[in-house]
Amino acid sequence: MVTNVDVVVIGAGPAGLCFAKSLADSGLQTIVIERQSEHSLSSPAFDGREIALTHHSAQLMHELGIWSFISPDAVSPLRDARVFNGSSLFSMDIGHRDTQKAELGYLVSNHLIRKAAYEAVKSGSAISLRTDVEVTNVKTNPNNTQISLNNGEVIQAKLLIGADSRFSETRRTMGIAADMHDFGKTMMVCVMEHPISHEHTAWEWFDYGQTLALLPMNGSRSSVVITLAPDEMNPLMKMDEEDFNREVSARFKHRLGAMRLVSTKHAYPLVTVYSKRLIGQRFALIGDAAVGMHPVTAHGFNFGLKGVATLSAEIKAAIASGKDFASDTLLLRYEQKHRRDTRPLFLATHAIAKIYSSNSPPARLFRAGALHLGNRIAPLKRAVAGFLADAR
């Protein structure tokens, strides 16, 4: 059985679904392929991750018709940010007052973004889903691409999109290598309640031997992120709730009072990825399959949406002018622009993560000095705040 469509997207995560939705009004027919069940897409489980969205990303989600499927109560304003080093109470403060916005951005749970993207995709007729299936073979030629599924279906399309995570099997199948860096750390995420107000301020705390982050949610809750070596993380993941509460409160030096777990705990390996190529013959990578960011900047999904907007704009312009919407020239423009948009911050993030995870005496001295200096340079703080609030 051969099915002919215009575009095939492999991966029904937020990036893949957002890209499919971005083409819904283009006249193109799109199929999204996902190995998970449709139930897992329509009712995704909580996975611990809170996504920091810039104003630009929120606007893109409005334009895609996704934002309306997210309850206003589930959107937490992110007003300010503080960066700590070691045991010092001093912090580099990045405030919304350094921008012309009422907040730096917003926080929304990853599973709610996934659910909203699914509902937006299902609201139209231009996008079809193939769930509970796996890709067994991919072939491309100058005219089209052919995708074989394990249920016997063969899909033929003009353009193939890989959106199947930073560990993308599609990227590998297409023969595209990636620069992958395993930090040898595990990142645990969960939601905690605490009696002392977070004042809608995010924390990034480069402590000695651990990195702590706090993302403020509505009310007296925060998403807590703890990064440790795997052998240190395993006992933390296995602790009973009472011991866990005491341990996390102590790790945060009781700065937020006695913290209490109010969600499940989730652990993820800390691995970053940057694909050596973002395109191939009638093929493009988007989302984490293209650029898998370090979470310290919280810009992973923002870059995913940026790539979606860039590629879909190129495709729609080609359709409007009667040109091939999957030509080598078009895809090359997408690759060049997305690299310009993402590569500088990707490299800067790596440098920051390496410096602030080193506990050598010279590194400790530099870490403290850099924060004090950065806090005194007003133009730098305004630039950082502006980027966090409205990265384009």
Side-chain angles (χ1 to χ4, degrees), residues 40-76:
S40 70
L41 299 181
S42 63
S43 302
F46 173 77
D47 61 14
R49 290 175 287 190
E50 294 295 314
I51 305 301
L53 298 169
T54 64
H55 290 275
H56 184 231
S57 292
Q59 181 59 38
L60 289 175
M61 292 174 69
H62 272 291
E63 294 170 2
L64 292 173
I66 294 172
W67 196 263
S68 61
F69 288 100
I70 300 174
S71 168
D73 293 338
V75 180
S76 305

Side-chain angles (χ1 to χ4, degrees), residues 93-95 97-99 374 377-388:
D93 299 332
I94 302 168
R97 291 182 180 84
D98 291 319
T99 72
I377 303 176
L380 173 63
K381 291 176 62 176
R382 285 196 296 270
V384 172
F387 182 81
L388 291 176

Side-chain angles (χ1 to χ4, degrees), residues 15-38:
L17 291 175
C18 286
F19 180 76
K21 188 65 172 67
S22 74
L23 298 181
D25 61 352
S26 68
L28 301 179
Q29 289 294 311
T30 301
I31 286 180
V32 181
I33 299 170
E34 173 57 48
R35 64 175 55 183
Q36 296 185 77
S37 68
E38 185 148 1

Side-chain angles (χ1 to χ4, degrees), residues 359-372:
N359 292 320
S360 68
R364 288 191 180 201
L365 185 63
F366 177 84
R367 286 165 54 167
L371 276 192
H372 280 80

Side-chain angles (χ1 to χ4, degrees), residues 166-167 171 176-183 271-278 285 288-293 339 343 346-347 350:
R166 65 187 62 200
F167 305 107
R171 182 181 64 221
I176 297 178
D179 291 322
M180 186 174 293
H181 184 82
D182 188 338
F183 284 82
V271 178
T272 62
V273 175
Y274 203 100
S275 183
K276 288 185 177 293
R277 290 188 291 128
L278 304 184
L285 291 165
D288 280 0
V291 182
M293 288 288 291
R339 282 193 185 282
R343 191 69 175 172
F346 182 87
L347 294 175
H350 259 251

Side-chain angles (χ1 to χ4, degrees), residues 95-172:
H96 69 277
R97 291 182 180 84
D98 291 319
T99 72
Q100 296 183 356
K101 309 287 186 180
E103 58 277 308
L104 292 176
Y106 311 95
L107 290 167
V108 182
S109 293
N110 185 61
H111 74 290
L112 297 181
I113 293 176
R114 291 183 60 197
K115 180 178 175 62
Y118 168 81
E119 291 176 345
V121 162
K122 292 294 287 186
S123 67
S125 59
I127 305 165
S128 301
L129 289 173
R130 298 288 192 274
T131 56
D132 277 315
V133 293
E134 295 189 20
V135 175
T136 59
N137 192 34
V138 174
K139 295 179 181 178
T140 65
N141 61 56
N143 298 313
N144 57 48
T145 179
Q146 189 170 284
I147 301 94
S148 302
L149 305 180
N150 63 349
N151 64 359
E153 184 179 11
V154 175
I155 304 173
Q156 192 165 278
K158 295 294 185 182
L159 176 64
L160 173 64
I161 300 295
D164 50 340
S165 86
R166 65 187 62 200
F167 305 107
S168 172
E169 293 178 13
T170 308
R171 182 181 64 221
R172 188 172 181 81

Side-chain angles (χ1 to χ4, degrees), residues 5-17:
V5 293
D6 298 297
V7 180
V8 170
V9 179
I10 299 179
L17 291 175

